[in-house]
Amino acid sequence: MIPVCRLEDLPAGDSVRLDTTPPVAVFNADGELYAIDDTCSHQDASLSEGWLEGCLIECPLHAASFDLRTGRPTCLPARRPLRTHQVYVEDGVIHVLVASDAGAPGDGGAGAAEKGSAA
Amino acid sequence: MRTVVVVGASLAGLYAARELRAQGFDGRLVVIGAEPHAPYDRPPLSKGFLTGTADEEQLALADEEETAELAAEWLLGARAGALDARGRTIVLDDGRTVAGDGVVIATGAAARRLPGPPLAGVHTLRTLDDARALRAELARGPQRVVVIGGGFIGAETASSCVALGHDVTVVEAAPLPLTAQLGPEMASVCAGLHARGGAELLTGVGVAGLRGAAGRFVTGVELADGRLLPADVVVVGIGATPRTDWLAGSPLAVDDGVLCDDGCVTALPQVVAVGDVARAGGVRAEHWTSATEQPRTAVRNLLAGHTVETAHSLPYFWSDQYGSRIQFAGRRSDGDTVRIVEGSPDDLGGGPPTGPRGEGLLAVYERAGRTTAVLAIDRARPFMKVRRGLAADRAAELAAV
Ligand SMILES: Cc1cc2nc3c(=O)[nH]c(=O)nc-3n(C[C@H](O)[C@H](O)[C@H](O)COP(=O)(O)OP(=O)(O)OC[C@H]3O[C@@H](n4cnc5c(N)ncnc54)[C@H](O)[C@@H]3O)c2cc1C
Ligand code: FES
């Protein structure tokens, strides 16, 4: 699990980019927290710089849009989905469980954490 | 409408085919393309494809599944040579004819060349084949590259050549490149990217000719002021001309593009034009986004039989150079004032060979207290906000008339 920032430092409508490889973007969509791969599956724009509306994020380069809940593109030019990642809030700090780590042996922390909601 | 023929199998042509199906056209769909390749994306050709970070599969615009769903007949490697007087039959260069009751013209533009006999080592960059040839030549080890033309494609090519370790000089005839697009202040900021990235920019001097024996390798570029730039590779990036040659003799009016109304409909209601080849409502855009947006309106009007919708989207383009991303949206005209609202030209980061990103900058163009356009260098998020505002203003303005 990667600590992101304090919950109050990611207000609704805001996003933050984690410099992981590949980078991950964390969004506060009207109180719900989501994490998906930051690099648009179309070319190489950073989705954390995109336009957030509901749980859709519009890419700042060619306007592909992704559903933060599933990582799936909802329109062209993107055609491939992005990985989504689990988000937890623990002691007021947002954490992301990057998908490739999910299900790793001995990873028991997930169940104990609060659900990824800022509400 | 039973058969629609799309001429041009690239970005705008593919988007037109998609729109035809999306808008319910279930008749015969024929797509004619002069290149042997399935539709591919051009912007990466001067960027990631040249530097080797994007390969040919990544250029594909449609995957197999989508291509199958479109249920189109693809005539690739087939060039349209003429359109008949009724605007219904297309004659291919090999003599075949294709008849339809609707035609979409999407033949794009061709790179402008320098006059004179062909020399090895001299390239233009418009097609995949152009890019393959240039990429192969650049792979032969460090060379002296001269890029003629400091526009977006010239600048991107220069930047890619620097990233590959070549010694690069850009020659621009105007006192400053990109002035028409960006205005003098911001054009000079962008011109500064060359020096920062490690390429030399020579401005205000034209090219008198190329040196090299006919049929042999180029050896240099002769400038109008008598200077000689030794060169192993020359890239000619002096713009593109709309491909309307095949329409000679047809009833369609052509003048720097196929003339059409602001719904992309030509003088013949069953013929529409989209993308780089279309001069819609008096303007021709050579940008990726217009080529993807115009087909929706054009197809709607084609299927309706007359103009029921206009395509007035806000112009937008981007360019990647020396590790920086430039984005521009709106309609700037001479005399607009420009104001940097975020960041600074002194902190653009990068540098050889594209060091860390700097702060970037956001600049707005204004006229009579209103924002007309916006430019960003590495400031995507605020750019998007201003761009959306401009688009909303434009929509409101159009709704009011
Ligand atoms: C190297 C490069 C980099 C670019 N980078 C950017 C960028 O960063 N940002 C941006 O906004 N835009 C960029 N562009 C511009 C963008 O790619 C074009 O605006 C876009 O490709 C236009 O699409 P189109 O389908 O109208 O025309 P084209 O892409 O030119 O396609 C036209 C097609 O029609 C075919 N054709 C022509 N004549 C005939 C005929 N008689 N019969 C049959 N077929 C024919 C051609 O072979 C071609 O495949 C770039 C362009 C290039 C070349
Ligand atoms: S990079 Fe995101 S839509 Fe193109």
Side-chain angles (χ1 to χ4, degrees):
Chain A
M1 283 218 287
I2 302 171
V4 179
C5 62
R6 294 202 59 80
L7 185 54
E8 60 267 29
D9 293 336
L10 189 70
D14 224 337
S15 60
V16 56
R17 177 176 182 271
L18 303 184
D19 274 319
T20 45
T21 325
V24 165
V26 186
F27 298 89
N28 182 338
D30 303 323
E32 285 294 318
L33 299 175
Y34 298 98
I36 67 168
D37 284 349
D38 181 56
T39 309
C40 180
S41 68
H42 174 235
Q43 270 159 23
D44 63 353
S46 165
L47 292 176
S48 64
E49 297 187 286
W51 186 265
L52 184 59
E53 214 160 81
C55 42
L56 296 182
I57 181 74
E58 183 184 315
C59 176
L61 196 51
H62 315 116
S65 174
F66 293 87
D67 189 324
L68 292 176
R69 295 166 299 187
T70 60
R72 289 212 187 90
T74 62
C75 68
L76 290 168
R79 287 179 283 138
R80 278 168 292 122
L82 293 166
R83 297 179 310 158
T84 57
H85 311 281
Q86 282 176 285
V87 189
Y88 300 93
V89 180
E90 246 176 27
D91 299 329
V93 174
I94 301 170
H95 289 77
V96 169
L97 182 63
V98 176
S100 53
D101 305 330
D107 176 48
E114 280 169 57
K115 208 194 153 289
S117 171
Chain B
M1 211 164 261
R2 278 191 302 218
T3 301
V4 175
V5 186
V6 177
V7 190
S10 183
L11 188 63
L14 174 68
Y15 271 71
R18 281 175 174 156
E19 281 301 331
L20 280 158
R21 292 307 190 209
Q23 295 184 31
F25 172 71
D26 59 4
R28 179 173 174 232
L29 175 56
V30 185
V31 187
I32 301 170
E35 292 180 70
H37 317 291
Y40 61 88
D41 208 18
R42 283 174 219 281
L45 295 180
S46 49
K47 311 176 179 77
F49 182 76
L50 217 50
T51 56
T53 56
D55 56 26
E56 292 193 13
E57 281 126 69
Q58 282 159 279
L59 301 178
L61 284 170
D63 53 25
E64 266 173 43
E65 188 189 330
E66 199 210 356
T67 308
E69 272 169 22
L70 281 177
E73 288 166 45
W74 297 87
L75 300 180
L76 298 178
R79 183 184 301 274
L83 179 69
D84 77 327
R86 288 160 59 242
R88 293 190 187 275
T89 304
I90 287 136
V91 187
L92 303 185
D93 272 356
D94 61 14
R96 282 181 290 173
T97 57
V98 184
D101 34 21
V103 175
V104 179
I105 296 174
T107 46
R112 210 174 280 143
R113 289 164 196 279
L114 286 177
L119 286 177
V122 179
H123 299 260
T124 51
L125 187 48
R126 177 81 198 179
T127 66
L128 174 58
D129 294 339
D130 291 344
R132 280 177 179 165
L134 179 57
R135 183 161 129 157
E137 209 155 274
L138 293 171
R140 289 198 321 226
Q143 303 179 67
R144 291 163 303 179
V145 179
V146 175
V147 177
I148 302 175
F152 287 111
I153 290 188
E156 290 182 356
T157 306
S159 152
S160 295
C161 289
V162 170
L164 289 167
H166 301 288
D167 171 30
V168 182
T169 307
V170 179
V171 183
E172 165 64 47
L176 199 61
L178 301 172
T179 314
Q181 292 91 336
L182 305 180
E185 299 91 341
M186 290 302 125
S188 104
V189 171
C190 289
L193 295 176
H194 289 286
R196 193 199 65 172
E200 189 174 356
L201 173 66
L202 302 179
T203 57
V205 59
V207 167
L210 301 178
R211 284 269 181 99
R216 306 291 290 273
F217 261 91
V218 67
T219 56
V221 175
E222 218 175 281
L223 301 183
D225 61 9
R227 272 182 290 174
L228 180 71
L229 302 175
D232 309 305
V233 176
V234 172
V235 183
V236 180
I238 54 174
T241 31
R243 294 193 100 143
T244 52
D245 46 315
W246 66 283
L247 294 168
S250 82
L252 299 185
V254 163
D255 176 13
D256 185 39
V258 176
L259 298 191
C260 42
D261 67 12
D262 42 21
C264 299
V265 180
T266 68
L268 298 171
Q270 84 285 9
V271 182
V272 296
V274 288
D276 282 14
V277 76
R279 190 158 150 208
V283 282
R284 195 166 67 81
E286 282 191 10
H287 305 313
W288 190 94
T289 300
S290 342
T292 62
E293 288 179 349
Q294 285 174 344
R296 186 149 63 82
T297 306
V299 162
R300 172 116 204 271
N301 295 334
L302 179 70
L303 296 177
H306 63 280
T307 304
V308 292
E309 191 178 290
T310 57
H312 273 307
S313 52
L314 192 78
Y316 164 69
F317 63 80
W318 82 97
S319 175
D320 293 335
Q321 301 167 23
Y322 306 105
S324 283
R325 174 159 287 157
I326 300 168
Q327 292 176 285
F328 181 93
R331 294 165 192 273
R332 186 203 74 87
S333 37
D334 287 342
D336 288 4
T337 54
V338 60
R339 198 157 54 86
I340 294 175
V341 289
E342 284 187 26
S344 141
D346 306 322
D347 187 13
L348 296 180
T354 68
R357 278 202 179 179
E359 284 288 287
L361 65 81
L362 183 78
V364 294
Y365 296 81
E366 290 158 329
R367 168 170 295 250
R370 295 185 56 187
T371 305
T372 55
V374 56
L375 171 84
I377 301 178
D378 295 326
R379 286 256 170 169
R381 197 209 276 249
F383 173 81
M384 223 179 165
K385 199 167 164 197
V386 182
R387 178 184 172 194
R388 290 178 78 100
L390 282 170
D393 289 351
R394 176 114 187 107
E397 201 179 292
L398 290 169
V401 289

